Amino acid sequence: MSKRILAISILAIASFFVACEDEQVTPQVVQNQAIAPKSVPIVQVDPFTAPAEPVVTAEQAKRYVKASAALVELGVTWSKKIEEASEGEKVQILDAYNVARDQLCARIGLAGIAEYNWITEVALPNPRNIPFFEAAGLKR
C-alpha cells in the first residue's frame, strides 16, 4: 500500500510541476490543443454520491484493491508518456490521464475515480471496514 501511495503522490507532484512549469502559453500551443481530438469516455461512468455511512461492502473492498493496483500501473505508464512529451503535449496527456483513471475505475466496477477517492479518504480509515479490506488482500 505504501508503494501505491508513494507512486500516486509522485504523479500528483509531477503533474503540479508540469502544470506550473509553462506559465506563458503561446497561441500556437492553444491552437494545437483546440484542434486536437478530445478524449471520449468509452464506458459509462456512473455519478457517485457518498453514502451516509462510511462503510463499504466486501465487493467494494475487492474492487478498490483491484483498482489500486491498476491505478499504480496506469500511473507508471502515463508518467513515462508525460516525461517524453513536448511542453505543448503535456497538458493534453494529463487530461487524457485523468479520463483514463476514471475509465479504469468504472471498468472495475466503481463509480469512477470519485468513488475510489471517497473510499481512500473516508471509508479506508473507518475501523468497521478493516475486515473487508483485509479479506480483499489489502495490507496496511
Side-chain angles (χ1 to χ4, degrees), residues 36-124:
K38 304 296 182 219
S39 297
V40 178
I42 298 169
V43 297
Q44 175 68 28
V45 179
D46 297 328
F48 177 70
T49 304
E53 289 290 319
V55 180
V56 296
T57 65
E59 190 57 37
Q60 272 181 304
K62 287 178 188 175
R63 285 186 236 141
Y64 175 81
V65 170
K66 188 174 180 180
S68 293
L71 284 169
V72 169
E73 290 181 35
L74 183 75
V76 169
T77 302
W78 282 79
S79 65
K80 289 177 187 174
K81 290 181 183 183
I82 293 167
E83 288 172 9
E84 296 168 357
S86 68
E87 290 304 312
E89 295 173 322
K90 287 184 180 183
V91 172
Q92 288 177 316
I93 292 172
L94 286 170
D95 288 342
Y97 172 63
N98 288 331
V99 172
R101 291 173 55 215
D102 211 28
Q103 285 291 296
L104 183 141
C105 290
R107 286 182 181 271
I108 289 174
L110 298 175
I113 196 72
E115 183 176 5
Y116 178 86
N117 289 337
W118 176 82
I119 292 172
T120 302
E121 296 165 10
V122 179
L124 193 57

